[in-house]
């Protein structure tokens, strides 16, 4: 499996291109501000065929370049309304680049379990709080496979276990960051919902899960449950 992280030069948002083993089919995740050109360059250089775009939520810094690929774009249902104009649902003055171009093929996530690219099964877990539709998307490194990635791996920072075959991976958008969580003070955010989502994830997601966030470095769920003050508070208060 190959996971390429492409960081936006605006707001440092992480876009990802995921390619399962033994295929040239790829999934694009959260193509934010000015990520289309480097994503296209990566696809061409590696002879990859992107088949779909997956969005973790509907904020503009995660969706802005989605229309550039002429592919089906999948978004969690509660955030579908944001795709008419992502900037319209944020305070004035929020950073933007040019005019919004709405993707021609926008669809809600088809089911909780999906396979948008052959060989890449994904499980969606709704995690509202940052936005109404925020979700995390779980997959795993298949048995016998290895991971080729430019993203920071667990084990490179103190207290995190090395990544292993069959270990679950999660695309977590702005639900979880290394040492923090997504803000809840923007329209559609809800601190109480975020706390409930974090508690649900603590009870349902394997602690061995490696988490790929929408901003900042990768992290490890067991580490976040121990060290992240927002996750610890959510577990204590419910």
């Amino acid at each position: 499996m190959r996971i390429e992280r492409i960081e936006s030069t605006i707001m440092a948002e992480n876009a990802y291109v995921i390619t399962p083993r033994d295929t040239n089919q790829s999934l694009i995740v959260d193509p934010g501000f000015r990520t289309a050109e480097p994503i296209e360059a990566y696809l061409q250089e590696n002879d990859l065929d992107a088949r779909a775009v997956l969005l973790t939520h509907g904020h503009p810094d995660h969706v802005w370049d989605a229309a550039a690929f002429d592919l089906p774009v999948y978004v969690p249902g509660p955030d579908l309304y944001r795709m008419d104009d992502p900037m319209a649902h944020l305070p004035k003055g929020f950073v933007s680049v040019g005019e919004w171009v709405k993707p021609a093929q926008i669809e809600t996530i088809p089911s909780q379990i999906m396979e948008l690219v052959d060989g890449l099964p994904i499980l969606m877990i709704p995690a509202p709080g940052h936005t109404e539709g925020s979700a995390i998307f779980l997959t795993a490194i298949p048995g016998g496979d290895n991971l080729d990635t430019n993203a920071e791996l667990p084990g490179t920072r103190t207290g995190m276990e090395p990544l292993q075959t069959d270990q679950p991976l999660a695309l977590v958008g702005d639900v979880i960051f290394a040492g923090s969580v997504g803000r809840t003070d923007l329209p559609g955010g809800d601190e109480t919902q975020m706390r409930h989502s974090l508690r649900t994830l603590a009870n349902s997601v394997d602690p061995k899960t490696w988490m790929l966030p929408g901003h900042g470095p990768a992290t490890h769920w067991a580490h976040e449950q121990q060290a992240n003050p927002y996750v610890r508070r959510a577990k204590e208060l419910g």
Side-chain angles (χ1 to χ4, degrees):
M1 177 184 288
R2 170 71 191 176
I3 300 177
E4 181 76 4
R5 182 180 72 92
I6 295 170
E7 185 177 358
S8 169
T9 57
I10 300 176
M11 298 189 71
E13 182 266 340
N14 294 328
Y16 298 98
V17 180
I18 304 177
T19 310
R21 181 184 183 184
D22 298 330
T23 182
N24 73 334
Q25 295 184 14
S26 297
L27 176 67
I28 299 170
V29 180
D30 283 2
F33 295 127
R34 293 181 179 167
T35 59
E37 186 174 333
I39 289 173
E40 287 283 12
Y42 170 75
L43 293 170
Q44 291 178 15
E45 289 168 5
N46 293 275
D47 194 25
L48 299 175
D49 180 19
R51 293 299 182 92
V53 174
L54 176 64
L55 305 177
T56 59
H57 64 293
H59 276 161
D61 55 322
H62 292 257
V63 311
W64 199 258
D65 281 3
F69 302 98
D70 193 24
L71 294 169
V73 175
Y74 295 94
V75 61
D79 272 12
L80 182 62
Y81 78 96
R82 295 176 178 270
M83 299 300 289
D84 288 332
D85 182 359
M87 296 302 301
H89 307 287
L90 292 175
K92 292 183 178 179
F94 194 85
V95 65
S96 66
V97 179
E99 296 294 325
W100 166 244
V101 178
K102 184 177 179 179
Q105 306 175 66
I106 301 177
E107 302 181 33
T108 57
I109 302 295
S111 62
Q112 188 174 6
I113 300 174
M114 69 199 94
E115 193 166 324
L116 303 179
V117 171
D118 291 345
L120 186 66
I122 294 174
L123 171 67
M124 179 181 75
I125 300 180
H130 180 61
T131 67
E132 306 94 325
S134 288
I136 76 167
F137 297 88
L138 290 165
T139 187
I141 304 171
D145 198 359
N146 56 20
L147 180 65
D148 180 15
T149 183
N150 65 341
E152 183 178 355
L153 294 173
T156 60
R157 300 199 305 282
T158 302
M160 297 190 187
E161 299 177 5
L163 192 68
Q164 300 175 2
T165 298
D166 292 326
Q167 187 164 337
L169 312 174
L171 299 151
V172 297
D174 287 2
V175 177
I176 295 287
F177 302 137
S180 189
V181 298
R183 59 191 292 184
T184 59
D185 60 331
L186 296 174
D190 187 300
E191 182 180 359
T192 300
Q193 276 196 323
M194 174 66 87
R195 190 172 70 246
H196 291 334
S197 291
L198 295 174
R199 184 172 182 268
T200 297
L201 296 177
N203 290 330
S204 61
V205 174
D206 190 333
K208 295 179 180 179
T209 301
W210 176 42
M211 293 186 156
L212 293 164
H215 301 268
T219 190
H220 191 271
W221 190 218
H223 177 79
E224 294 306 311
Q225 291 192 62
Q226 295 173 359
N228 188 316
Y230 297 94
V231 179
R232 291 177 61 180
R233 182 171 181 269
K235 291 172 67 175
E236 292 169 1
L237 298 181

